[in-house]
Amino acid sequence: MNIRFEQTQNPKPKPPQDALFFGKYFTDHMFVMEYDEGKGWHDPAIVPYAPISMDPASMVLHYGQAVFEGLKCYRAGDGRLLLFRPERNFARLNKSDERVCIPHIDEEIALKALTELIKVEKDWVPSAEGTSLYVRPFTFSTEAHVGVHPSGSYKFVIILSPVGAYYPEGLNPVKIYIEDEYVRAVKGGLGFTKAAANYAASLRAQQKAIELGYTQVLWLDGVERKYVEEVGTMNVFFIINDEIVTPSLEGSILPGVTRDSTIALARSWGVKVTERRIAIDEVYSAYEDGSLKEAFGTGTAAVISPIGEFNWAGRKFRVADGGIGEISARLYEELTGIQYGRLEDKFGWVKEVL
Ligand SMILES: *Cc1c(COP(=O)(O)O)cnc(C)c1O
């Protein structure tokens, strides 16, 4: 595959590493590839980062055929640039795309596109503690046509954003609001995908949680509002007695790469990890009888996010005394250690770009 390269004439100043925030700055170039019916995916190119012009009738604006992914590129202490299980993200992109009728993308081509783009933008990968280059691949429909059917044309784009440490003052517990009115997804729907529509459906509840002083919502199942699903942008884990439990993947939950890595890592320590349905009453009873030891979320952005407090229909309950549990802290240390190349990569998860 030949990727056309057009160098920017206006390189941007790089933001200071201590003021990166999340998703605010974008690098000088982006990767773009087009799809047209009869032609397939074509014209892969790395071009200057710039607005994309669209017809007002572009189908994505009306029917929402749009999917995204999120992963990070880490700068190791010795300067190497590392990706964490990137092939998983491109495999998931195709699973999501398939669900909303966006055509399949060759995963090797996608990974090659990403590594080439990172090589062009290598000076944008920050080096300060906890910083990284966030990678946002996405696909969307472009055909100009008002009428509900799959589009005949699409774009696949990758943009990059240098991001700051998720916890500038060290690992911090979050407060989570258990949502029992709105739902995120139902089996048979889009829950297992990173389709943009899922996030549109989540915003109202997220806004409500923030107004009430919580960081994110914990979703319950869409039928009975009884079983735990996941947090807004994270999968969720509980430690009850000595066992780690997490909801099983049954179609309405996003299969997180961090979730999968957490399960494998904890099992490698000899800790029992069970994937099963977990009723919210069971979590509350475990809190009441003292067997709920820790709770945490997993996702690319925060890696491990210890949960210090829940609010379930007005009942507030604290976990790990509102602090950080021992296993949560160890998972965070070891996962980030592997991602930044500080610890041995026993699982073969890390891919070196440069
Ligand atoms: C992205 C995401 C996650 C976490 O997935 P990772 O692959 O670990 O980053 C979990 N839940 C939802 C809803 C997400 O969008």
Side-chain angles (χ1 to χ4, degrees):
M1 180 194 51
N2 240 342
I3 303 176
R4 181 169 65 83
F5 177 47
E6 185 189 330
Q7 176 122 31
T8 180
Q9 297 307 310
N10 304 298
K12 302 177 220 179
K14 297 193 176 55
Q17 291 205 18
D18 58 357
L20 287 172
F21 309 105
F22 190 87
K24 184 169 148 86
Y25 300 104
F26 298 95
T27 68
D28 287 322
H29 300 87
M30 60 185 185
F31 173 83
V32 187
M33 184 161 72
E34 315 285 334
Y35 178 93
D36 286 287
E37 227 160 43
K39 236 175 141 178
W41 289 103
H42 62 91
D43 285 339
I46 292 173
V47 297
Y49 186 98
I52 295 170
S53 78
M54 290 205 294
D55 193 291
S58 289
M59 292 179 77
V60 66
L61 300 176
H62 305 271
Y63 314 116
Q65 264 182 298
V67 161
F68 68 95
E69 266 304 325
L71 65 158
K72 283 173 170 176
C73 177
Y74 308 86
R75 190 180 287 281
D78 57 9
R80 286 178 305 144
L81 300 183
L82 308 174
L83 291 168
F84 186 71
R85 312 185 77 183
E87 65 291 345
R88 288 254 164 176
N89 293 91
F90 291 119
R92 190 171 66 191
L93 180 70
N94 272 327
K95 287 211 178 82
S96 302
D97 278 347
E98 184 188 23
R99 178 64 183 79
V100 295
C101 299
I102 297 178
H104 186 270
I105 298 170
D106 185 302
E107 288 160 29
E108 270 173 43
I109 290 179
L111 189 52
K112 172 99 176 0
L114 173 58
T115 54
E116 290 306 306
L117 179 64
I118 291 173
K119 283 178 188 167
V120 169
E121 305 289 56
K122 59 182 188 305
D123 295 340
W124 281 90
V125 187
S127 56
E129 172 85 31
T131 62
S132 58
L133 185 70
Y134 184 75
V135 176
R136 170 53 59 91
F138 57 107
T139 50
F140 61 95
S141 58
T142 54
E143 184 184 334
H145 193 136
V146 171
V148 180
H149 62 80
S151 170
S153 60
Y154 299 88
K155 274 188 202 293
F156 170 46
V157 182
I158 307 176
I159 55 174
L160 305 174
S161 172
V163 297
Y166 197 87
Y167 301 106
E169 279 108 45
L171 200 57
N172 248 323
V174 294
K175 288 168 67 180
I176 297 291
Y177 186 82
I178 301 173
E179 177 56 51
D180 57 6
E181 177 191 354
Y182 301 111
V183 298
R184 173 182 176 273
V186 289
K187 288 182 182 57
L190 302 177
F192 66 95
T193 73
K194 256 178 138 71
N198 281 332
Y199 304 85
S202 77
L203 294 174
R204 190 67 198 89
Q206 171 68 11
Q207 190 180 41
K208 176 173 126 190
I210 287 176
E211 279 165 12
L212 293 167
Y214 292 82
T215 314
Q216 287 200 17
V217 300
L218 176 71
W219 298 107
L220 300 178
D221 79 89
V223 178
E224 297 177 76
R225 314 279 195 280
K226 175 173 176 185
Y227 295 100
V228 172
E229 297 240 303
E230 62 180 318
V231 179
T233 56
M234 296 189 289
N235 294 112
V236 70
F237 288 74
F238 302 95
I239 305 183
I240 299 176
N241 293 316
D242 298 330
E243 183 183 355
I244 301 183
V245 292
T246 191
S248 37
L249 302 176
E250 292 175 20
S252 53
I253 299 172
L254 202 279
V257 178
T258 323
R259 174 188 183 278
D260 185 78
S261 311
T262 297
I263 294 171
L265 186 59
R267 283 186 180 149
S268 78
W269 300 339
V271 177
K272 183 171 182 205
V273 185
T274 308
E275 299 172 68
R276 63 170 171 86
R277 296 183 110 194
I278 305 160
I280 189 62
D281 317 61
E282 179 192 344
V283 175
Y284 191 72
S285 309
Y287 156 73
E288 284 191 307
D289 70 21
S291 58
L292 178 63
K293 307 290 187 212
E294 301 183 31
F296 58 90
T298 64
T300 295
V303 188
I304 299 290
S305 204
I307 299 170
E309 186 183 319
F310 287 104
N311 182 330
W312 178 38
R315 274 175 285 189
K316 294 181 188 176
F317 57 106
R318 279 152 70 93
V319 190
D321 290 326
I324 301 164
E326 202 180 304
I327 293 183
S328 310
R330 184 174 172 204
L331 284 165
Y332 179 77
E333 281 310 313
E334 292 215 11
L335 282 171
T336 54
I338 296 170
Q339 290 167 336
Y340 283 93
R342 286 191 300 267
L343 296 178
E344 189 198 339
D345 175 25
K346 286 182 201 140
F347 301 90
W349 284 339
V350 168
K351 182 176 162 53
E352 202 173 308
V353 177
L354 256 185

